[in-house]
Amino acid sequence: MKVAYIFATQRHTVSYVLGQMILPQLEDDRHGAQVVGMFFFEDNNYVLVKGNPIGARLVKVAKEKGILLMGCDRCCYEREIADLLFEGVQIGCFPDLYGALAGNPPDQVITL
C-alpha cells in the first residue's frame, strides 16, 4: 500500500509523530507502507529548514526511498523560510502536490 502524509495540525505532529514514530520506522524499513509523499502546512514547515535535525534525517530517507517532500507555498513564504529549505524540498499548493504525485499516486492520504 502506498500512502502520503499531510502534516496539518500543530501540536507535536512533526516532533513526536514524525520524529519519533514514522521516521524511525522508515529508517529501519519497518513502516509497513510505502510512503510516496509528505506535505507540510503552517509551522510544520520548519522541519524542512536546513539545520533542523529531524529534517536532515527526513531528507536523507526521502532521497533513499524516493519520497516527495513539499511545503505549502503560502506557509513558507509567509514565514520567510522558502529560501532556507533543504535541497530537494519542493514548495507548492495542492495542484502542485497532485501533479508531483501523479506518476506514483498514493492509495491513501493520511492527515496528521
Side-chain angles (χ1 to χ4, degrees), residues 85-100:
L85 304 182
F86 284 99
E87 185 177 326
V89 173
Q90 297 183 33
I91 297 175
C93 196
F94 278 113
D96 303 303
L97 178 64
Y98 305 148

Side-chain angles (χ1 to χ4, degrees), residues 20-87:
Q20 294 184 32
M21 298 168 94
I22 296 170
L23 188 53
Q25 292 170 359
L26 290 171
E27 291 169 328
D28 294 340
D29 289 322
R30 58 181 178 85
H31 188 58
Q34 178 188 0
V35 179
V36 295
M38 295 185 183
F39 190 80
F40 296 81
F41 279 105
E42 303 290 342
D43 289 346
N44 291 320
N45 282 287
Y46 286 109
V47 77
L48 303 174
V49 172
K50 293 175 193 167
N52 182 292
I54 294 173
R57 290 171 50 212
L58 178 61
V59 167
K60 180 178 185 259
V61 168
K63 286 180 183 176
E64 292 170 356
K65 298 184 180 300
I67 299 171
L68 168 75
L69 300 178
M70 184 178 285
C72 165
D73 55 356
R74 188 168 187 168
C75 302
C76 288
Y77 292 122
E78 284 179 357
R79 286 159 180 75
E80 300 179 355
I81 60 171
D83 295 330
L84 304 175
L85 304 182
F86 284 99
E87 185 177 326

